[in-house]
């Protein structure tokens, strides 16, 4: 068994409206297509992550978890005033984490306390969730003390969105120091979220090796399917922007080649996510 630990599911706008604060109009990304992409590679578990253009409406995510029947886990976005009853309903349906988005332009328009790291962590602690942070490297470095002090497990998205930084830069060293803490996890996902290589499916070997040296037991792999478009292609709330045209198989195969160890690939794609998201390793 294998897990894709970072994906999005998107419904047609006729079925679920996207937030008015969105910066583009997202095309549908059906769960069935995702499942079909994973099947040839033994990927049968998926972590559905709330995209910024749905704000705090997690209905598409929850529906996908219901349809996965135990083979899915969810990372939702919560408002500050969410009720304990609603959170417990989420947990019973497979939500395992709460996302704090300090990166996507649309997330700045969500509000409702969804980007308050400490407040979201407090909610997560009460209900047994982890916290997932998407933020560029300079923000992670600036907030490293706060992240280190979170009272719950914390997952960092997309290699820490290092941009043009190199592993020996000062902000990178701050992130690496942070990742030595046992409650920090890293998603080795979407190498194409780079200002100079927006269609790259090849992991940056230096960054990959650095995380695998520091925390191989706390790394998980994600495709970021359906591969959101770069921010500079967002043209406004009514402009449909296509997903990046990338090969799911190619993305996975390049990652496996870069890791270079079948045992380590198995750990990253099943042993680690099973532990983080609460699945039995023998499922």
């Amino acid at each position: 068994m294998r897990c894709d630990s970072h994906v999005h599911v998107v419904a047609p706008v006729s079925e679920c409206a996207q937030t008015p604060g969105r910066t583009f109009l997202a095309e549908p990304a059906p769960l069935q297509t995702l499942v079909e992409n994973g099947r040839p590679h033994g990927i049968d578990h998926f972590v559905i992550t709330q995209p910024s253009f749905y704000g705090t409406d997690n209905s598409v995510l929850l529906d996908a978890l219901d349809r996965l029947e135990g083979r899915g886990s969810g990372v939702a976005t919560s408002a500050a005033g969410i009720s304990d009853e609603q959170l417990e309903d989420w947990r019973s349906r497979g939500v395992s984490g709460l996302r704090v988005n300090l990166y996507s332009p649309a997330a700045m328009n969500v509000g409702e306390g969804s980007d308050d790291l400490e407040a979201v962590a407090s909610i997560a602690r009460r209900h047994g969730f982890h916290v997932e942070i998407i933020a560029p490297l300079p923000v992670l470095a600036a907030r490293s003390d706060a992240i280190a002090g979170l009272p719950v497990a914390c997952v960092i998205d997309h290699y820490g969105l290092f941009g043009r930084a190199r592993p020996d830069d000062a902000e990178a060293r701050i992130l690496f120091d942070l990742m030595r803490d046992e409650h920090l996890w890293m998603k080795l996902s979407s190498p194409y979220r780079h200002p100079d290589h927006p269609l790259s499916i090849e992991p940056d070997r230096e960054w990959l090796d650095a995380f695998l040296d520091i925390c191989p037991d706390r790394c998980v792999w994600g495709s970021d399917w359906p591969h959101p478009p770069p921010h500079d292609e967002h043209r406004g709330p009514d402009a449909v922007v296509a997903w990046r045209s990338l090969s799911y198989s190619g993305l996975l195969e390049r990652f496996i080649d870069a890791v270079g160890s079948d045992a380590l690939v198995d750990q990253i794609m099943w042993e680690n996510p099973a532990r983080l998201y609460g699945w039995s390793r023998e499922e």
Side-chain angles (χ1 to χ4, degrees):
M1 288 173 291
R2 286 176 169 176
C3 176
D4 185 337
S5 295
H6 195 100
V7 298
H8 309 286
V9 174
V10 184
V13 291
S14 59
E15 296 178 11
C16 184
Q18 298 173 25
T19 178
R22 65 188 182 273
T23 52
F24 73 105
L25 189 62
E27 296 182 319
L31 177 63
Q32 185 57 39
T33 303
L34 171 63
V35 171
E36 291 169 359
N37 281 337
R39 186 176 292 119
H41 307 285
I43 296 173
D44 57 358
H45 286 63
F46 301 91
V47 179
I48 314 297
T49 306
Q50 177 77 342
S52 60
F53 50 76
Y54 279 145
T56 58
D57 179 358
N58 296 273
S59 56
V60 173
L61 180 152
L62 293 167
D63 176 68
L65 293 180
D66 292 344
R67 288 188 283 150
L68 283 169
E69 298 180 327
R71 293 177 292 109
S73 186
V75 180
T77 299
S78 66
I82 190 169
S83 69
D84 288 344
E85 291 77 14
Q86 187 171 2
L87 288 161
E88 286 305 305
D89 175 66
W90 287 4
R91 192 157 71 101
S92 71
R93 296 169 71 180
V95 170
S96 61
L98 301 179
R99 195 180 203 201
V100 175
N101 192 325
L102 305 175
Y103 170 69
S104 303
M108 301 174 187
N109 301 320
V110 173
E112 302 182 66
S114 62
D115 60 351
D116 186 326
L117 180 59
E118 288 76 11
V120 171
S122 178
I123 295 171
R125 180 176 60 176
R126 294 201 310 271
H127 292 272
F129 297 138
H130 67 267
V131 169
E132 180 169 311
I133 302 173
I134 178 170
L137 178 60
V139 174
L140 294 172
R143 302 287 299 273
S144 62
D145 288 344
I147 295 169
L150 293 179
V152 294
C154 178
V155 182
I156 305 297
D157 281 349
H158 309 320
Y159 292 91
L161 290 169
F162 55 80
R164 295 187 176 95
R166 301 311 307 155
D168 57 354
D169 290 350
E171 290 176 332
R173 292 196 297 271
I174 293 173
L175 177 59
F176 294 149
D177 286 343
L178 187 64
M179 294 307 304
R180 291 184 173 90
D181 194 307
E182 290 294 322
H183 81 294
L184 266 291
W185 294 68
M186 176 57 66
K187 282 191 175 179
L188 306 175
S189 51
S190 47
Y192 44 81
R193 286 184 182 260
H194 189 284
D196 301 324
H197 309 291
L199 295 177
S200 176
I201 59 174
E202 183 76 39
D204 184 298
R205 298 296 181 96
E206 292 183 14
W207 279 92
L208 174 63
D209 289 347
F211 290 122
L212 293 182
D213 285 344
I214 293 167
C215 53
D217 60 334
R218 287 175 282 113
C219 287
V220 296
W221 176 83
S223 67
D224 199 20
W225 186 89
H227 318 305
H231 291 168
D232 60 6
E233 293 185 9
H234 298 193
R235 298 288 186 263
D238 298 317
V240 177
V241 182
W243 306 113
R244 298 185 212 216
S245 181
L246 300 171
S247 165
Y248 187 99
S249 294
L251 187 68
L252 174 58
E253 289 162 2
R254 295 291 183 87
F255 176 77
I256 290 173
D257 289 345
V259 172
S261 161
D262 290 344
L264 189 51
V265 168
D266 288 344
Q267 182 178 6
I268 293 167
M269 296 196 66
W270 184 244
E271 297 290 329
N272 292 350
R275 194 168 85 253
L276 176 61
Y277 300 112
W279 288 306
S280 167
R281 300 186 206 186
E282 289 75 37
E283 280 187 21

